[in-house]
Amino acid sequence: MQRLFPGIEQDFLGVGAILIDATNDAFWFQNGGYLAPSASDLNGVCLSRPQLEAVVRSRVLRLPNVTINAGVTVLGLTRAENRSVGGVTLDRGEGAETLTADLVVDASGRGSRTPAWLAQLGYRPPAVSEVKVNMAYATRTYRRSPGDLDGGHLLLVAPQAPHQKRGAVLAAQEGNRWMVTLTGMLGDHPPVDDAGLLAFARSLPTQDIYDIIAHAEPLSDIVPYRYPSSLRHHYERLSAFPEGVVVIGDAICSFNPIFGQGMTVASLEAQALQDSLEGGLQELWKRFFRRAAKRIDIAWTLAASADLAFPETLGTRGPAVKPINAYIARLLQVARHDPGLTVAFHQVSNLIKPPSSLFSPNILWRVGSGSIRGVSPHLNREPCVPLAAAGASRDVSL
Ligand SMILES: Cc1cc2nc3c(=O)[nH]c(=O)nc-3n(C[C@H](O)[C@H](O)[C@H](O)COP(=O)(O)OP(=O)(O)OC[C@H]3O[C@@H](n4cnc5c(N)ncnc54)[C@H](O)[C@@H]3O)c2cc1C
């Protein structure tokens, strides 16, 4: 986002966002223990989604060539010469009308109708990969007290195959609030009543979120959300596609939201579109879908591999899924005592570095030779260990 909107971090901070070091102010609990914290240059901002969207929208509106038509439903693509697309039909509440365009970008999200519209135009729709996670969320905001979470701002309890289907996120937001989201995969869904929510939080493998919300003042209702599956449309595999239209964001690929990747991948795709437009509109779709697929591949592999580690998850398992999951599980266990591995893991999970960086000789050696010692399931904020003291190099090998 910063690349697309330089300085947007300051805009976020201006509406109350909290700047954090993602490996030192954020705690990650998985497989029975916390990853060792470490200072790093992986910064993030904590703020509510409505505020984030309001800031992005105001930045988009400041672009001199952008007009937003709100309250409009797009009904379909219109055909131009040579089977290409020449615009859209839409409805502003007064019946269908046509809007012509040199290029239509379908950013209509997970429910995109482009696959159906392609069939209407005489094209084959893309193949679809699906990973069925049957996930549900229950989210509530609470008042945040200064001493909560030892002054930290984010705590994530990750599900752990094969049995731990429950997870949670506790995230600081503007206005001294906590947002708490309890998550349950594969039908193990969180309840949406007061007592049920607390009982679910208490059943997590660490009590640290329960200890906060059991005493904090609720500021909202409990809001449920259902997410059946991660969906990827393989537009990059098509050999025929109309000129004049591309698809972007969740309309190409929507990920299990627990991994928090969707907006980052959508931003990377926007950059891929910008780069592809330098070659003009002719065969733009071919260049763009290939570039976008490279960005999507990484996030999809990370999310799908973790979800497919659960035997009940429905989806296609490649031969590498099992060994990769076993390696990552060990890496996370060693990372409880090796802050350098925490940083290496977060660089990949935040899409800063490719997954291959977790297989560099230095990391392989540390994962292989590191000890797995017992850990406390409670947050114990030890003094942060600088990377140098942990024997890690901040650039080349991590
Ligand atoms: C519960 C949850 C939590 C998430 N948390 C994170 C997170 O922490 N970090 C992260 O990076 N990502 C997260 N994501 C993913 C992120 O929200 C999506 O990846 C991102 O919103 C995708 O943006 P998009 O513009 O492609 O689609 P959307 O945000 O879905 O926007 C599509 C828009 O198109 C409009 N639309 C649809 N059809 C039409 C039509 N026919 N005519 C006109 N308009 C239409 C819709 O109304 C909507 O406004 C989360 C997702 C969920 C569901």
Side-chain angles (χ1 to χ4, degrees), residues 169-198:
V169 181
L170 175 80
Q173 295 190 331
E174 71 280 1
N176 288 328
R177 286 177 296 160
W178 286 117
M179 182 204 71
V180 176
T181 295
L182 304 182
T183 66
M185 295 175 66
L186 300 161
D188 189 7
H189 294 167
V192 288
D193 62 280
D194 287 5
L197 192 86
L198 279 177

Side-chain angles (χ1 to χ4, degrees), residues 49 72-74 107-109 137 225 248-251 257 260-264:
R49 184 70 185 255
V72 170
T73 302
V74 174
S108 62
Y137 278 17
Y225 183 81
I248 201 165
D250 275 20
Q261 295 168 318
M263 285 183 275
T264 304

